[in-house]
Amino acid sequence: MKTTKKIVLPENEMPTAWYNIVADMPTKPMPMLNPKTKQVLTKEDMEPIFAKALIDQEFSQERWIEIPDEVRDLYRIYRPTPLVRASGLEKALDTPAKIYFKNESVSPVGSHKLNSAIPQAYFNKIQGIKHLTTETGAGQWGSSLSIACKHFGLDLRVFMVKVSYEQKPYRKAVMNTYGAQVFASPSAETEIGRKMRQQFPGTNGSLGMAISEAVEEALKDEYTRYALGSVLNHVMLHQTIIGLEAEKQMEIAGDYPDVVIGCFGGGSNFGGISLPFLRHRLVDGKQVRVIAAEPASCPKLTRGKFAYDYGDTEGYTPLLPMYTLGHDFQPASIHAGGLRYHGAGTIISQLRKDGFVEAQAIQQEETFKAGILFAQAEGIIPAPESTHAISVAIREALKAREEGTEKVILFNLSGHGLIDMMSYEKYLQGGLHNFEIEQSTIDSSIESIQSLQP
Ligand SMILES: *Cc1c(COP(=O)(O)O)cnc(C)c1O
């Protein structure tokens, strides 16, 4: 009998609540700190920046948080996403392992980011907020939030890192198509932007500068708030829809994963696919392993330090207890832009510290090789970020071949790569290389955050 290729969940079986793993964690995450006073950050501290419902979620210890009907309605455009048996990849690897992937690339923007953009726009809308601001690097988050804001009648201003704005004009066009305004950052729209332009004429911009501009606008107007696409607890929470659907689909397939894998930028898609399965380990003692796949050029989970650090490069955000390379760390310009972040969200960091999360760092050449193998075997060109998860899945499948074990592997395909073909082109031309980071570089970057510790 042929195995089922695609396990499709009916619309009416889409999960009705997100899963908050904090309720089941043996050690709760340490609190965020106010960067000025180093006192425990309060909900009130965050209210000028984020919608109240999102702040409540950020601090919540409730296990299940209901997904509002309006959010579920919009999820229905592309959810439930299919779970796919990677039979082509299994064959190409000649492995006895069964490989499954959750296909988040089917969303209108081509990635998982919409899963959090929709609820973030919704909770701002019902509070009476009129405008949102955000930053975007490569454009995945900005595009997602543009769709969500248009739907809920909010206007959106996106500060896009100048170098991306110039190199990736189609991403800007995508956001404009959905009705958002996009500015190359640093821009002339904000005080901090004007100051940066004066101080550093011709600068390429940075994510840190773009965040500062977006936050400045949110702070200046009582009907404006800011939205962030990764790292924070509430973002991780929204993304658990991925794993909750996969849990039901694996059951339909009649399998249970021995290992669950996701690529790792700030942790949102990794947390999304893995936390609902990690729950079985915390609550029922299941032996499921979860592995974060990070780039060797930005190895916060494998070579970083667990410490308090800023969430951004300029030091405007609260201090977060997390695995970090130091907020000054400058990763090489690898082609998985979404993974070039210096820290890991606080929930994943605590779980890693307590031994529940494994991590592997992968070099760029291995990831593109894996991406091309996957494209040829399964027909989908994966996002450069997602190729990190594919690389670890391949490593696990080859290990299963050596050991002769019929292991079940599940990974998240966080996005497709059709808007990243320049990177593939460069790889195919032989122009992409590995980067080794000297330990002393990491040490000195981490050294610089010693003074931030309470
Ligand atoms: C943004 C992005 C990532 C990394 O972000 P996480 O918060 O770690 O999930 C991974 N894959 C794709 C396709 C992205 O757009």
Side-chain angles (χ1 to χ4, degrees), residues 194-413:
R194 288 187 292 270
K195 202 176 111 200
M196 293 287 175
R197 283 154 71 109
Q198 228 166 36
Q199 228 172 336
F200 309 104
T203 173
N204 276 334
S206 71
L207 219 43
M209 283 184 202
I211 292 177
S212 313
E213 290 201 87
V215 170
E216 179 187 313
E217 285 207 340
L219 289 174
K220 274 197 179 146
D221 179 75
E222 69 174 307
Y223 294 105
T224 304
R225 292 291 183 277
Y226 164 75
L228 189 65
S230 184
V231 185
L232 295 176
N233 298 351
H234 66 269
V235 185
M236 210 84 48
L237 174 80
H238 303 151
Q239 294 294 353
T240 58
I241 185 117
I242 303 172
L244 293 167
E245 285 179 6
E247 192 182 352
K248 294 186 177 201
Q249 287 161 311
M250 289 299 298
E251 210 174 299
I252 296 170
D255 275 321
Y256 188 85
D258 296 297
V259 48
V260 181
I261 301 159
C263 68
F264 201 99
S268 79
N269 92 89
F270 169 73
I273 186 90
S274 68
L275 298 181
F277 288 96
L278 202 50
R279 168 172 164 257
H280 302 160
R281 178 150 152 204
L282 297 177
V283 176
D284 307 324
K286 279 252 195 201
Q287 286 303 307
V288 55
R289 296 166 59 206
V290 305
I291 310 179
E294 64 180 9
S297 58
C298 198
K300 55 248 173 191
L301 290 171
T302 51
R303 295 171 74 184
K305 182 183 158 103
F306 186 87
Y308 273 101
D309 196 6
Y310 294 118
D312 66 323
T313 44
E314 317 284 307
Y316 292 100
T317 70
L319 289 167
L320 309 175
M322 61 182 179
Y323 279 93
T324 177
L325 294 163
H327 59 275
D328 284 336
F329 183 78
Q330 293 286 341
S333 66
I334 54 158
H335 283 261
L339 306 186
R340 294 177 74 238
Y341 182 71
H342 65 275
T346 65
I347 289 177
I348 303 294
S349 290
Q350 188 63 50
L351 288 167
R352 165 96 177 130
K353 190 158 177 272
D354 293 342
F356 294 109
V357 169
E358 297 174 40
Q360 293 185 24
I362 304 130
Q363 288 283 6
Q364 190 162 244
E365 288 175 22
E366 181 179 344
T367 67
F368 276 92
K369 196 169 159 235
I372 285 170
L373 179 68
F374 182 81
Q376 294 178 356
E378 294 295 331
I380 303 169
I381 298 182
E385 289 85 359
S386 314
T387 60
H388 291 71
I390 297 171
S391 300
V392 172
I394 291 174
R395 287 181 181 182
E396 289 292 320
L398 292 177
K399 218 160 63 187
R401 185 173 78 184
E402 260 168 49
E403 294 163 355
T405 51
E406 204 192 74
K407 161 160 53 173
V408 178
I409 299 167
L410 168 65
F411 74 87
N412 191 41
L413 183 73

